[in-house]
Amino acid sequence: MGENIVCVVIPQIQFQRLDIFGNCKLNPSSDCTLSGLVEIKTNPKVDNVVGALVVFTNDGVNPIDVTVPLCRTQVVALVDDDLQDLDQLSRLSDDILVSILSYLPLKDAAVTSKLSRRWRYLWCQMVRLDFEDKERSAKLRTESLYSNEYNNLCFAERNSYIDWVNCVISKYHQSPNNIVHFRICFNLDKTAKGAMTRWIKFAVSKNVQTLELDLSDNDANYVFPHKIFDRRRSKQPSSSSVPTSTVEIKFLKALVLKQVDVNDECLNKILSNCPVLEHLSIREATKLVKPKINGKGLALKNLEFGGSCSRVQSIEIRDSNIGSLNCGVFGSRGSPVTLRLDNLQKLEKICISKCCSWEKINHMFCGVSCCIPRLQLLELQLYHPELHWCSYTEPLDRNRNAWQVVKQPHQHLEVVEICNYYGLENDHELAMNLIMNAVALKKLVIQPFNGIRAFESDKVMDENGARQNAKQQLEPIIPVGVELVIL
Amino acid sequence: MSKKTLTLMSKDKQLFNIEEHLAVQSVTIRNMVKEDGASSVIPLPRVDSETLALVIEYLNRQQAPEEDEDYVKKFVDERGEIPTLLELAQAALDLDIKKLMDAACMKVADLIKDFTLEEVREALRIENDRTPEEEKAIRDEFQWAF
């Protein structure tokens, strides 16, 4: 009986605090127009049927002299002429100001605490925390690597960066707000391990949805603290190293890791403990070897392995609902990356760059039409393995017919973009194969190789040569109805 | 069956008609319609008529979904005055039209990003009400920022 819904409509003013005395409870999901409200204090001890409403305005200290008696389910409209004179900004809700702040760099946003009393802690309500400090990062880049000066500067700047993040976080710890986006971006090394783990835990405790850890430029890889997923038995210290169950990161939708190391086991932990994770991007992870992703029960939609994940030998993805896959992985020298894809019903976009041997790509194509029925955009950025590492280790098999095995037509493939087209036999074969098999093809885009490289000892090819080759080879065979674009 | 029309009333009592299926892009209006059918005039006592006209123009847009982002950006770009944008953002917040509010706030941020503190105060009409003691306290608290 004590839960009366109070409906308050206050058309002209913003208020920061609402004190409700008496036996009533505010139901924020009802019709109330309560924008700008920061705090609701109820005082249930005053046991009156009729309560009182006190509105506090912007400075949060002085109540405006409005005390209105409340009855059960009474609709109260406060229109006080004196209150209408408040300037424009006072009418803007904090939500608007905070939203504006969130589009400024964090440091600029924090400077606004100088503006006025109202602004002092306003920036602490931002739901996006992007700890990028371009000035600081640029300062490090000016010193030559590994010099004494560089090491000293790194040490000092890292410490000061860590202090900065800690300081901001301490302001946030008391606030009830969630954080939607949390980004760390600095040249940090292993010495920041403890701090990083704390930051990640902090972000998780604030129900973070997008977590980005970018430790670019640093050479000593920091390892993702996958132990945060382990819940330890607190009462039995003897078995403390054995995780009894795992901790889920319930709200995480996107995880971007740059130069943060993950191994196969850690990747699995991330996937199995982030039930709503849709976007996963892993760049420059040197410990990743044979990532296997079984997509059953996962929310994963976008997956990227980027940069130089130098030890990757194979990538296996099966039974997943992913819609886009981006692989830019260097295999280690001489041992190309194998890509195994199976039963990916919703996969529409594949981008493969800088990886894989010719045969392995070929192998992948064998299964394309049966396991990836929805594929619509295929982007290939292939380095010719013959011209890179393979030629150092084994003689080239010029007689193979890489594409002979492919007989099945690609029913849904509409757009193909081939990057770095040289016009060698391989390129020609690939294009021919696609033209023959992609029955729904609408557009073939050729981006000619745009550097100059000497190969086959006497031949030098530049962009124009590559473009001419593409023209000569493809124009005569392109079917009617397929658009050939040579960039 | 003809399309149902809603009438919105601005702070200065001007009336605006809009088709219901377009108006319900505003979550606030959608909830009102859901609850009581919103047969009568919907009063928007915090939104002035100039701003409401802009909101209606936005709701009436006929963009393909993939062009919508660009349209919203251009829409706020063309209203590059900070006071107009602030009114628009506030109205979009009250009516719960998230895309419009985000775009307007982003544009304001873009406009003030290189301003000095004094210029920000002027643009947003903020009165500096802090005492020298408070100023010092803030400087000590946020040393890293200054």
Side-chain angles (χ1 to χ4, degrees), chain A residues 116-395:
Chain A
S116 74
R117 284 183 191 163
R118 182 184 179 189
W119 285 76
R120 182 163 176 182
Y121 292 110
L122 212 52
W123 67 273
C124 295
Q125 295 178 38
M126 291 195 301
V127 293
R128 243 185 89 89
L129 278 184
D130 183 348
F131 291 95
E132 179 171 21
D133 189 338
K134 287 189 177 139
E135 270 173 47
R136 212 189 289 269
S137 298
K139 213 156 81 184
L140 285 187
R141 282 195 205 104
T142 55
E143 286 292 335
S144 58
L145 285 175
Y146 311 119
S147 65
N148 268 346
E149 288 79 12
Y150 176 79
N151 289 339
N152 291 341
L153 189 65
C154 262
F155 183 75
E157 292 298 331
R158 277 173 189 155
N159 281 341
S160 123
Y161 180 89
I162 291 171
D163 286 347
W164 174 41
V165 180
N166 284 342
C167 184
V168 171
I169 285 179
S170 70
K171 294 277 168 290
Y172 268 75
H173 259 308
Q174 304 116 17
S175 110
N177 297 326
N178 282 337
I179 288 172
V180 174
H181 188 121
F182 188 86
R183 178 168 183 251
I184 293 292
C185 177
F186 196 63
N187 175 337
L188 291 171
D189 66 358
K190 285 179 204 157
T191 57
K193 199 174 156 188
M196 285 281 286
T197 307
R198 279 198 305 280
W199 300 339
I200 295 170
K201 282 184 174 168
F202 160 77
V204 170
S205 74
K206 292 285 183 188
N207 296 344
V208 69
Q209 292 176 22
T210 300
L211 181 61
E212 192 173 340
L213 306 175
D214 178 354
L215 307 190
S216 299
D217 295 343
N218 111 75
D219 46 320
N221 263 358
Y222 160 83
V223 181
F224 187 82
H226 56 87
K227 286 190 176 144
I228 60 166
F229 293 116
D230 299 339
R231 179 176 287 141
R232 289 164 202 286
R233 233 178 273 203
S234 52
K235 284 181 184 168
Q236 291 168 291
S238 58
S239 63
S240 67
S241 63
V242 184
T244 52
S245 62
T246 53
V247 182
E248 283 194 339
I249 302 188
K250 279 189 191 128
F251 300 94
L252 193 66
K253 283 187 187 155
L255 180 63
V256 178
L257 302 175
K258 290 184 190 166
Q259 209 119 347
V260 172
D261 229 326
V262 238
N263 60 23
D264 299 356
E265 185 202 349
C266 177
L267 173 68
N268 281 338
K269 269 192 176 170
I270 291 173
L271 287 170
S272 54
N273 291 303
C274 302
V276 296
L277 190 70
E278 292 180 1
H279 177 95
L280 177 62
S281 172
I282 295 175
R283 302 179 69 89
E284 273 113 77
T286 58
K287 291 190 165 60
L288 212 56
V289 183
K290 292 180 175 174
K292 271 188 193 177
I293 293 170
N294 185 334
K296 262 183 202 149
L298 299 185
L300 203 61
K301 285 186 183 146
N302 303 307
L303 180 63
E304 180 187 24
F305 294 104
S308 148
C309 299
S310 56
R311 298 228 174 89
V312 170
Q313 294 170 6
S314 67
I315 298 171
E316 186 177 322
I317 307 164
R318 58 176 67 249
D319 303 325
S320 167
N321 284 333
I322 57 169
S324 93
L325 172 66
N326 203 322
C327 289
V329 183
F330 283 107
S332 51
R333 209 164 252 244
S335 60
V337 175
T338 312
L339 194 55
R340 292 194 200 97
L341 306 176
D342 193 11
N343 190 22
L344 305 174
Q345 297 292 332
K346 293 194 175 155
L347 189 57
E348 291 183 352
K349 290 182 189 169
I350 301 181
C351 175
I352 295 169
S353 51
K354 304 169 186 171
C355 77
C356 306
S357 83
W358 209 235
E359 276 74 18
K360 300 299 178 188
I361 284 277
N362 174 26
H363 184 71
M364 188 194 97
F365 271 97
C366 293
V368 159
S369 54
C370 57
C371 67
I372 316 174
R374 296 265 284 265
L375 189 66
Q376 286 183 18
L377 180 70
L378 176 66
E379 191 179 329
L380 294 172
Q381 295 178 17
L382 294 177
Y383 279 169
H384 286 256
E386 295 89 341
L387 300 173
H388 276 242
W389 48 75
C390 287
S391 57
Y392 304 118
T393 55
E394 53 186 294

Side-chain angles (χ1 to χ4, degrees), chain A residues 11 14 88-89 91-93 96 99-100 113-117 119-121 123 164 167-168 171, chain B residues 46 87 89-90 93 102 105-106 109 117 121 124-130 134 138 141-142 144 146:
Chain A
Q14 295 297 310
Q88 180 199 19
L89 186 74
R91 293 205 297 109
L92 287 173
S93 14
I96 296 289
S99 171
I100 292 170
S113 57
K114 275 178 150 182
L115 284 171
S116 74
R117 284 183 191 163
W119 285 76
R120 182 163 176 182
Y121 292 110
W123 67 273
W164 174 41
C167 184
V168 171
K171 294 277 168 290
Chain B
R46 287 162 52 112
E87 288 291 336
Q90 183 67 54
L93 175 75
D102 287 348
C105 288
M106 195 171 164
L117 278 181
R121 283 199 190 102
L124 303 183
R125 289 199 243 156
I126 304 166
E127 194 195 333
N128 185 4
D129 54 1
R130 303 167 313 149
E134 282 172 322
I138 291 175
E141 193 174 14
F142 301 122
W144 50 268
F146 311 129

Side-chain angles (χ1 to χ4, degrees), chain B residues 14 31 34 36 38-39 41 46-47 54-55 60 69 76-77 81 87 95 100 104 108 118 126 140 143:
Chain B
Q14 284 202 42
N31 289 342
K34 238 189 252 169
D36 60 1
S39 50
V41 175
R46 287 162 52 112
V47 186
L54 280 181
V55 173
N60 276 325
E69 293 289 309
V76 293
D77 269 349
E81 299 286 316
E87 288 291 336
L95 290 167
L100 184 60
V108 174
E118 214 28 71
I126 304 166
D140 292 346
Q143 244 170 7

Side-chain angles (χ1 to χ4, degrees), chain A residues 40-60:
Chain A
I40 299 174
K41 285 188 172 172
T42 51
N43 187 352
K45 282 180 188 166
V46 185
D47 193 20
N48 296 327
V49 179
V50 177
L53 176 89
V54 184
V55 175
F56 290 78
T57 51
N58 304 307
D59 57 7

